[in-house]
């Protein structure tokens, strides 16, 4: 449904990339019509890299914001239980001379995908990326993935 410069898209549990593609197309259309386009998607799934979607707006000469929430994956500061998600956020904006500002980040020390890659290639993760069930640093990507918790940025 849509009203003025805003819209809500019900993804009906579809692939996140499909839902987000529709959301970005809608946001860009609304921005061209109204000067700003704000679209929320619900009932969706993992949409991939947030920067991919913000870059669509940047390529059209617009500011692109892309956010999502995630299931709890990180321990709160000083904690040892999963309490918050990685909750990626992204802002791309055009700048003078063809340059641009690009921020694409998670609210944890490291995105979950980097831990998964380290696990797949059999390498340890750096200390400070995750804590174990007792709240101590761990360098074991399998422990972090299966039992431990990523760290929040603020600690």
């Amino acid at each position: 449904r849509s009203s003025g410069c805003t819209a809500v898209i019900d993804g009906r549990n579809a692939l996140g990339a499909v839902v987000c593609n529709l959301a970005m197309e809608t946001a860009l259309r609304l921005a061209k019509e109204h000067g700003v386009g704000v679209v929320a998607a619900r009932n969706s799934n993992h949409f991939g890299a947030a920067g991919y979607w913000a870059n669509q707006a940047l390529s059209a000469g617009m500011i692109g914001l892309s956010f999502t929430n995630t299931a709890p994956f990180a321990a709160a500061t000083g904690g040892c239980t999963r309490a918050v998600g990685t909750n990626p956020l992204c802002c791309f904006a055009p700048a003078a001379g063809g340059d641009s500002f690009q921020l694409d980040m998670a609210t944890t020390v490291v995105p979950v995908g980097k831990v998964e890659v380290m696990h797949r290639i059999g390498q340890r993760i750096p200390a400070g990326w995750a804590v174990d069930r007792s709240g101590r640093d761990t360098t074991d990507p399998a422990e972090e993935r299966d039992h431990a918790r990523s760290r929040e940025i603020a600690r």
Side-chain angles (χ1 to χ4, degrees), residues 21-95:
N21 189 61
L22 175 60
M24 283 306 297
E25 286 176 355
T26 303
L28 293 174
R29 180 181 49 79
L30 292 173
K32 288 174 184 170
E33 287 177 35
H34 302 282
V36 66
V38 179
V39 178
R42 60 189 181 121
N43 300 320
S44 185
N45 291 286
H46 182 55
F47 73 166
Y52 178 82
W53 306 109
N55 193 58
Q56 288 184 358
L58 183 64
S59 295
M62 299 179 195
I63 296 172
L65 303 172
S66 177
F67 308 91
T68 191
N69 66 318
T70 66
F73 196 79
T77 302
C80 59
T81 59
R82 291 180 176 171
V84 297
T86 60
N87 304 324
L89 58 104
C90 183
C91 174
F92 283 14

Side-chain angles (χ1 to χ4, degrees), residues 9-24:
I9 294 174
D10 184 346
R12 298 182 182 172
N13 206 29
L15 294 171
V18 173
V19 176
C20 198
N21 189 61
L22 175 60
M24 283 306 297

Side-chain angles (χ1 to χ4, degrees), residues 97-118:
D99 203 0
S100 63
F101 169 80
Q102 298 182 9
L103 171 69
D104 187 356
M105 61 177 275
T107 55
T108 50
V109 171
V110 64
V112 175
K114 288 194 179 198
V115 175
E116 291 173 356
V117 167
M118 297 297 273

